[in-house]
Amino acid sequence: QALGVEFKLGVRVGKDLTLEDLRKQGFGFTFLGVGAAAGKKLGIPGEEVAGVLDVLSYLDEAKAKGQMELGEHVLVVGGGNSAMDAARSARRFVKKGTVDLVYRRTRAQMPADPEEIHDCLEEGVGLRDLLAPLRVASENGKVTGLVCGVMKLGAPDSSGRPRPVPTGEEITLPCTTLISAVGQ
C-alpha cells in the first residue's frame, strides 16, 4: 500500500467485476488472490469426531508446534506428496506405535513422487494398499479406527490407472489419529 498498490477485497471476479473490466480501466497487470487452500474431507460417515484431521491443518499445526500427541496408531489416507509429508512427520512424532498410509490402489499407482514414497517407507511408515475408507469408527466422540472396503484393481479409469473395484470384504484398521490427505 505504501508503494501505491490498491487492494480490492471481497470482490467476486466474474460476478462483481471481470478481467476485461480491469483492462478497460487501464490496468496492465492484475493479481488475483483467490484465498487459502483448505483440506478435503474423506466424505465418509463419522469423520467429524476428534482425532480426524485434514492434511493441511495437520501439517500447519505440526510445523507450528514441532511436536504433536497423535497416539499410538496413525493412519494417513492418500497417495500424493502431501500424504507422504503427513506420514513422515507423524512417524517422527510417534516413537512407539504405527503410522500407515491407506491407499485404494497399489504403490505402483500412487501419484506421489517415487522418491517420496521410497523415503516414507524407509522411515518406517507402513503401506496398507487396496483399501478404500468407508466410515470412521469411534467411541465417546474420539476416533478408534477406520472401516475400509477391500479393493481389487479393475479396468483403467480416465486417469489411465487401474480403477479400484470393491470386493465386498471389509476390514477395520485401528487408529488414534486419522489424517485425510486426499486433496484440497
Side-chain angles (χ1 to χ4, degrees), residues 27-56:
F27 291 99
F29 297 93
T30 305
F31 172 80
L32 300 176
V34 296
K40 188 174 178 184
K41 292 185 175 282
L42 294 169
I44 59 174
E47 67 182 322
E48 69 283 347
V49 300
V52 179
L53 310 169
D54 72 82
V55 70
L56 295 179

Side-chain angles (χ1 to χ4, degrees), residues 100-168:
D100 290 310
L101 288 162
V102 177
Y103 189 59
R104 63 190 182 137
R105 291 183 171 99
T106 65
R107 178 180 175 180
Q109 288 85 41
M110 284 183 161
D113 295 332
E115 302 82 28
E116 289 283 332
I117 298 167
H118 174 268
D119 291 348
C120 198
L121 298 175
E122 281 291 309
E123 287 188 38
V125 173
L127 173 58
R128 304 296 304 261
D129 61 357
L130 293 171
L131 296 175
L134 298 175
R135 62 189 171 280
V136 174
S138 64
E139 285 182 20
N140 302 319
K142 174 82 172 107
V143 65
T144 59
L146 180 64
V147 180
C148 296
V150 177
M151 311 303 279
K152 65 180 179 180
L153 296 179
D157 63 13
S158 61
S159 72
R161 297 178 296 169
R163 179 183 315 254
V165 178
T167 65

